[in-house]
Amino acid sequence: MTLRQAASPNVATWKANPIVYEINTWVWLRDLSGKYGYEVDLFNVPNAEIDDLASWGFDALWLMGVWRRGQATRRSALNYLHEYQLALPDVTEADVPGSAYAIHDYQVEAEIGGRHGLAAFRERLAARGIKLVLDYVPNHVATDHPWIRSHPEFFLQGATSELESRNGDFFLANTVKGDKVIARGRDPYFPSWIDTAQLNAFSPGLRHAAIDALIDIGNQCDGLRCDMAMLMMNGVFSETWGARAGSHPAREFWTEIIPAVRSVHPQMLFMAEVYWDLEGEMQRQGFDYTYDKRLYDRVIDNDIPSIRAHLGADPLFQRSHVRFIENHDEERAASVLGSDRQRVAAALICTLPGAVLLHEGQLTGRSVKLPVQINRRPQQPEDLLLERFYRWLLGETRHALYRLGDWQLIETCPAQEGDHACDSLIAYTWEYEVEWRLITINLAETWSRSRLDLSHWALPEGCSLQLYDILTESHSEKQIDNSLGGSIFLEVPPQSAHIFRIAVQKSGRSPATNAHDHPTA
């Protein structure tokens, strides 16, 4: 399966396969305040901190949790103070602004710098070549959002009897049209989120209001991460709400929203949080990138055959994935994978086609997953060796090869009949101009042996490959076996990743030095 990179025409100013770094904004700013001894907000983040972010080579910063949460959101969150103690044993009410996903309105919290602070921070990022991604939550808002009073028709509503019998699913709101029973936000598989009000995906008025809101958000950022985006699909919305949802509109929500926003912000990148194998449909409806939750689950489960099969999917589908091994919704990679497996999994996601999502704290081995309702985290030691590994890895993936090159999953073959030690190995190549890479991933706890089919490289008869492992800084030489169609034999240690920079050496000659003789690194 070969994939030739090409940027989406809608996001031409974005690099292909962008690396997106998620920061829990309020938590990060509180950490910086403690570090520097004064109140740090988006206006006055020290240059040294922004320079450090730039040094990693991130293409975009996703500032999670910048929007105003409001009093209702906070009151609801304070009911669960005891639960937050699992992550922050000394948590106090002052640490609880409420859920970042129960949004009062799409205005930047004044306490973290407000709209002008965000604009100043964005400008400083842009000067360093970093784009800004912000959240949009299409399915619900906080229970005190201004729309509830001014536009109750934007929301799913219930009857007074349901308020009495299902008060976990409905609440009473005072509106310009009198008291209304409003549904709380939910998805079809979990109880309602009690701090939210359910928007009506089929409401024409809501759709127009959403477009206006997103155009304004688009004035403040370069990309949107759309929370639980599939909940607004006609079919999913009907499945969730049944007859209450009413009949399907002629158009899907996103096919109406995304083009309208792009008519004003043509370079806006749309990234969807999406599950339930609906990634392809979300891409067809206009999203540039969709969460690759299947790959995440298979990596966590160490399901190597399923990972290999997953990577054999359609090339365009591969290019439109967002790969990750943690984010604010998932457990910390250090907790579920451990140090060695995290390194291998990180090498995998960072060298595949598609976007890469990394999470602040992941790169230094933080193990405590924070609730999105709090704005402070416990102190934890930094894993400096893990940080060094990530710097090494991300330094490699800045290469144009991973942005503009051809990617191909390659076949791993038994070293001899009946030898199944190749089953744990995943291997693929990148090629761009005179640069080649061979990447091997072994997530298993056993050695892997395999003949790797490199016939797509059309290697010269009798040549050998000079392999330099970028991650271990080691050299080796492998003879090409043309009797098997152009393959090499590799033995790979347990739980290891290797990124081999390739040079081709013809028989009796120095390594090739031009594109016609094949590349040297």
mmCIF file of all heavy atoms in Angstrom, residues 154-178:
data_model
loop_
_atom_site.group_PDB
_atom_site.id
_atom_site.type_symbol
_atom_site.label_atom_id
_atom_site.label_comp_id
_atom_site.label_asym_id
_atom_site.label_seq_id
_atom_site.Cartn_x
_atom_site.Cartn_y
_atom_site.Cartn_z
ATOM 1 N N PHE A 154 -33.495 26.274 19.965
ATOM 2 C CA PHE A 154 -32.225 25.653 19.575
ATOM 3 C C PHE A 154 -32.003 24.329 20.314
ATOM 4 O O PHE A 154 -31.066 23.591 19.986
ATOM 5 C CB PHE A 154 -31.040 26.565 19.897
ATOM 6 C CG PHE A 154 -30.911 27.794 19.037
ATOM 7 C CD1 PHE A 154 -31.806 28.079 18.017
ATOM 8 C CD2 PHE A 154 -29.868 28.686 19.265
ATOM 9 C CE1 PHE A 154 -31.683 29.217 17.234
ATOM 10 C CE2 PHE A 154 -29.727 29.833 18.489
ATOM 11 C CZ PHE A 154 -30.630 30.099 17.473
ATOM 12 N N PHE A 155 -32.840 24.028 21.303
ATOM 13 C CA PHE A 155 -32.590 22.895 22.201
ATOM 14 C C PHE A 155 -33.682 21.844 22.075
ATOM 15 O O PHE A 155 -34.829 22.160 21.737
ATOM 16 C CB PHE A 155 -32.517 23.384 23.648
ATOM 17 C CG PHE A 155 -31.381 24.335 23.895
ATOM 18 C CD1 PHE A 155 -31.531 25.696 23.647
ATOM 19 C CD2 PHE A 155 -30.158 23.880 24.343
ATOM 20 C CE1 PHE A 155 -30.486 26.580 23.853
ATOM 21 C CE2 PHE A 155 -29.100 24.760 24.551
ATOM 22 C CZ PHE A 155 -29.266 26.115 24.293
ATOM 23 N N LEU A 156 -33.303 20.592 22.395
ATOM 24 C CA LEU A 156 -34.326 19.554 22.522
ATOM 25 C C LEU A 156 -35.088 19.778 23.817
ATOM 26 O O LEU A 156 -34.492 20.067 24.853
ATOM 27 C CB LEU A 156 -33.680 18.168 22.535
ATOM 28 C CG LEU A 156 -33.304 17.577 21.174
ATOM 29 C CD1 LEU A 156 -32.801 16.161 21.354
ATOM 30 C CD2 LEU A 156 -34.491 17.587 20.214
ATOM 31 N N GLN A 157 -36.409 19.614 23.740
ATOM 32 C CA GLN A 157 -37.240 19.914 24.895
ATOM 33 C C GLN A 157 -38.059 18.696 25.301
ATOM 34 O O GLN A 157 -38.232 17.751 24.522
ATOM 35 C CB GLN A 157 -38.159 21.108 24.584
ATOM 36 C CG GLN A 157 -37.367 22.373 24.280
ATOM 37 C CD GLN A 157 -38.246 23.567 23.990
ATOM 38 O OE1 GLN A 157 -39.411 23.605 24.400
ATOM 39 N NE2 GLN A 157 -37.702 24.551 23.283
ATOM 40 N N GLY A 158 -38.518 18.730 26.533
ATOM 41 C CA GLY A 158 -39.318 17.643 27.059
ATOM 42 C C GLY A 158 -40.598 18.154 27.686
ATOM 43 O O GLY A 158 -40.911 19.349 27.629
ATOM 44 N N ALA A 159 -41.325 17.250 28.290
ATOM 45 C CA ALA A 159 -42.587 17.586 28.948
ATOM 46 C C ALA A 159 -42.372 17.722 30.454
ATOM 47 O O ALA A 159 -41.406 17.206 31.010
ATOM 48 C CB ALA A 159 -43.619 16.493 28.669
ATOM 49 N N THR A 160 -43.300 18.397 31.111
ATOM 50 C CA THR A 160 -43.203 18.585 32.559
ATOM 51 C C THR A 160 -43.153 17.249 33.280
ATOM 52 O O THR A 160 -42.432 17.083 34.270
ATOM 53 C CB THR A 160 -44.398 19.416 33.060
ATOM 54 O OG1 THR A 160 -44.428 20.659 32.365
ATOM 55 C CG2 THR A 160 -44.296 19.661 34.557
ATOM 56 N N SER A 161 -43.896 16.286 32.776
ATOM 57 C CA SER A 161 -43.887 14.955 33.405
ATOM 58 C C SER A 161 -42.501 14.319 33.356
ATOM 59 O O SER A 161 -42.097 13.600 34.274
ATOM 60 C CB SER A 161 -44.903 14.051 32.707
ATOM 61 O OG SER A 161 -44.589 13.908 31.326
ATOM 62 N N GLU A 162 -41.756 14.579 32.268
ATOM 63 C CA GLU A 162 -40.403 14.027 32.167
ATOM 64 C C GLU A 162 -39.463 14.721 33.147
ATOM 65 O O GLU A 162 -38.539 14.092 33.683
ATOM 66 C CB GLU A 162 -39.871 14.186 30.742
ATOM 67 C CG GLU A 162 -40.564 13.271 29.748
ATOM 68 C CD GLU A 162 -40.080 13.489 28.336
ATOM 69 O OE1 GLU A 162 -40.168 14.632 27.842
ATOM 70 O OE2 GLU A 162 -39.608 12.501 27.716
ATOM 71 N N LEU A 163 -39.702 15.978 33.396
ATOM 72 C CA LEU A 163 -38.901 16.677 34.387
ATOM 73 C C LEU A 163 -39.055 16.018 35.747
ATOM 74 O O LEU A 163 -38.086 15.878 36.502
ATOM 75 C CB LEU A 163 -39.328 18.147 34.455
ATOM 76 C CG LEU A 163 -38.612 19.023 35.477
ATOM 77 C CD1 LEU A 163 -37.138 19.155 35.135
ATOM 78 C CD2 LEU A 163 -39.281 20.385 35.556
ATOM 79 N N GLU A 164 -40.258 15.588 36.043
ATOM 80 C CA GLU A 164 -40.522 14.965 37.341
ATOM 81 C C GLU A 164 -39.982 13.540 37.407
ATOM 82 O O GLU A 164 -39.439 13.118 38.428
ATOM 83 C CB GLU A 164 -42.021 14.976 37.607
ATOM 84 C CG GLU A 164 -42.601 16.392 37.728
ATOM 85 C CD GLU A 164 -44.123 16.401 37.718
ATOM 86 O OE1 GLU A 164 -44.717 15.326 37.486
ATOM 87 O OE2 GLU A 164 -44.708 17.479 37.932
ATOM 88 N N SER A 165 -40.102 12.802 36.309
ATOM 89 C CA SER A 165 -39.725 11.391 36.347
ATOM 90 C C SER A 165 -38.276 11.143 35.927
ATOM 91 O O SER A 165 -37.712 10.093 36.239
ATOM 92 C CB SER A 165 -40.656 10.575 35.436
ATOM 93 O OG SER A 165 -40.543 11.006 34.083
ATOM 94 N N ARG A 166 -37.682 12.082 35.192
ATOM 95 C CA ARG A 166 -36.319 11.888 34.666
ATOM 96 C C ARG A 166 -35.507 13.162 34.884
ATOM 97 O O ARG A 166 -34.962 13.723 33.947
ATOM 98 C CB ARG A 166 -36.386 11.538 33.172
ATOM 99 C CG ARG A 166 -37.158 10.274 32.850
ATOM 100 C CD ARG A 166 -37.330 10.117 31.346
ATOM 101 N NE ARG A 166 -36.056 10.109 30.638
ATOM 102 C CZ ARG A 166 -35.933 10.176 29.314
ATOM 103 N NH1 ARG A 166 -37.021 10.289 28.556
ATOM 104 N NH2 ARG A 166 -34.743 10.152 28.744
ATOM 105 N N ASN A 167 -35.412 13.590 36.133
ATOM 106 C CA ASN A 167 -34.728 14.867 36.367
ATOM 107 C C ASN A 167 -33.231 14.796 36.103
ATOM 108 O O ASN A 167 -32.560 15.817 36.038
ATOM 109 C CB ASN A 167 -34.997 15.405 37.778
ATOM 110 C CG ASN A 167 -34.477 14.471 38.866
ATOM 111 O OD1 ASN A 167 -33.895 13.430 38.585
ATOM 112 N ND2 ASN A 167 -34.701 14.856 40.107
ATOM 113 N N GLY A 168 -32.677 13.593 35.927
ATOM 114 C CA GLY A 168 -31.290 13.469 35.517
ATOM 115 C C GLY A 168 -31.107 13.729 34.034
ATOM 116 O O GLY A 168 -29.979 13.953 33.579
ATOM 117 N N ASP A 169 -32.196 13.717 33.282
ATOM 118 C CA ASP A 169 -32.128 13.901 31.834
ATOM 119 C C ASP A 169 -32.713 15.229 31.372
ATOM 120 O O ASP A 169 -32.536 15.603 30.206
ATOM 121 C CB ASP A 169 -32.884 12.767 31.124
ATOM 122 C CG ASP A 169 -32.263 11.409 31.387
ATOM 123 O OD1 ASP A 169 -31.025 11.320 31.431
ATOM 124 O OD2 ASP A 169 -33.025 10.427 31.544
ATOM 125 N N PHE A 170 -33.418 15.942 32.249
ATOM 126 C CA PHE A 170 -34.069 17.194 31.870
ATOM 127 C C PHE A 170 -33.942 18.208 33.008
ATOM 128 O O PHE A 170 -33.772 17.835 34.167
ATOM 129 C CB PHE A 170 -35.558 16.960 31.560
ATOM 130 C CG PHE A 170 -35.791 16.078 30.372
ATOM 131 C CD1 PHE A 170 -35.896 14.693 30.518
ATOM 132 C CD2 PHE A 170 -35.915 16.615 29.096
ATOM 133 C CE1 PHE A 170 -36.108 13.869 29.431
ATOM 134 C CE2 PHE A 170 -36.137 15.795 27.994
ATOM 135 C CZ PHE A 170 -36.231 14.426 28.167
ATOM 136 N N PHE A 171 -34.053 19.484 32.682
ATOM 137 C CA PHE A 171 -34.068 20.532 33.698
ATOM 138 C C PHE A 171 -35.008 21.645 33.239
ATOM 139 O O PHE A 171 -35.323 21.774 32.044
ATOM 140 C CB PHE A 171 -32.666 21.076 33.974
ATOM 141 C CG PHE A 171 -32.048 21.829 32.820
ATOM 142 C CD1 PHE A 171 -32.091 23.212 32.769
ATOM 143 C CD2 PHE A 171 -31.404 21.153 31.786
ATOM 144 C CE1 PHE A 171 -31.516 23.910 31.716
ATOM 145 C CE2 PHE A 171 -30.823 21.840 30.728
ATOM 146 C CZ PHE A 171 -30.876 23.221 30.681
ATOM 147 N N LEU A 172 -35.467 22.437 34.190
ATOM 148 C CA LEU A 172 -36.401 23.519 33.908
ATOM 149 C C LEU A 172 -35.621 24.810 33.699
ATOM 150 O O LEU A 172 -34.751 25.167 34.499
ATOM 151 C CB LEU A 172 -37.378 23.689 35.069
ATOM 152 C CG LEU A 172 -38.524 24.682 34.842
ATOM 153 C CD1 LEU A 172 -39.445 24.188 33.718
ATOM 154 C CD2 LEU A 172 -39.309 24.888 36.139
ATOM 155 N N ALA A 173 -35.915 25.520 32.609
ATOM 156 C CA ALA A 173 -35.211 26.759 32.289
ATOM 157 C C ALA A 173 -36.203 27.881 32.050
ATOM 158 O O ALA A 173 -37.265 27.681 31.445
ATOM 159 C CB ALA A 173 -34.339 26.562 31.047
ATOM 160 N N ASN A 174 -35.846 29.068 32.522
ATOM 161 C CA ASN A 174 -36.650 30.256 32.274
ATOM 162 C C ASN A 174 -36.189 30.888 30.967
ATOM 163 O O ASN A 174 -35.028 31.214 30.798
ATOM 164 C CB ASN A 174 -36.480 31.245 33.427
ATOM 165 C CG ASN A 174 -37.269 32.522 33.191
ATOM 166 O OD1 ASN A 174 -36.686 33.532 32.807
ATOM 167 N ND2 ASN A 174 -38.575 32.469 33.431
ATOM 168 N N THR A 175 -37.118 31.050 30.008
ATOM 169 C CA THR A 175 -36.773 31.564 28.690
ATOM 170 C C THR A 175 -37.699 32.722 28.310
ATOM 171 O O THR A 175 -38.711 32.983 28.990
ATOM 172 C CB THR A 175 -36.884 30.459 27.611
ATOM 173 O OG1 THR A 175 -38.250 30.312 27.206
ATOM 174 C CG2 THR A 175 -36.343 29.130 28.113
ATOM 175 N N VAL A 176 -37.383 33.398 27.209
ATOM 176 C CA VAL A 176 -38.240 34.481 26.733
ATOM 177 C C VAL A 176 -39.607 33.958 26.311
ATOM 178 O O VAL A 176 -40.549 34.746 26.148
ATOM 179 C CB VAL A 176 -37.574 35.234 25.568
ATOM 180 C CG1 VAL A 176 -36.319 35.954 26.026
ATOM 181 C CG2 VAL A 176 -37.272 34.291 24.398
ATOM 182 N N LYS A 177 -39.743 32.652 26.137
ATOM 183 C CA LYS A 177 -41.013 32.041 25.761
ATOM 184 C C LYS A 177 -41.649 31.299 26.930
ATOM 185 O O LYS A 177 -42.486 30.414 26.743
ATOM 186 C CB LYS A 177 -40.801 31.096 24.584
ATOM 187 C CG LYS A 177 -40.295 31.811 23.329
ATOM 188 C CD LYS A 177 -40.084 30.851 22.166
ATOM 189 C CE LYS A 177 -39.578 31.599 20.932
ATOM 190 N NZ LYS A 177 -39.336 30.689 19.777
ATOM 191 N N GLY A 178 -41.241 31.672 28.145
ATOM 192 C CA GLY A 178 -41.771 31.033 29.336
ATOM 193 C C GLY A 178 -40.871 29.910 29.799
ATOM 194 O O GLY A 178 -39.814 29.631 29.223
#
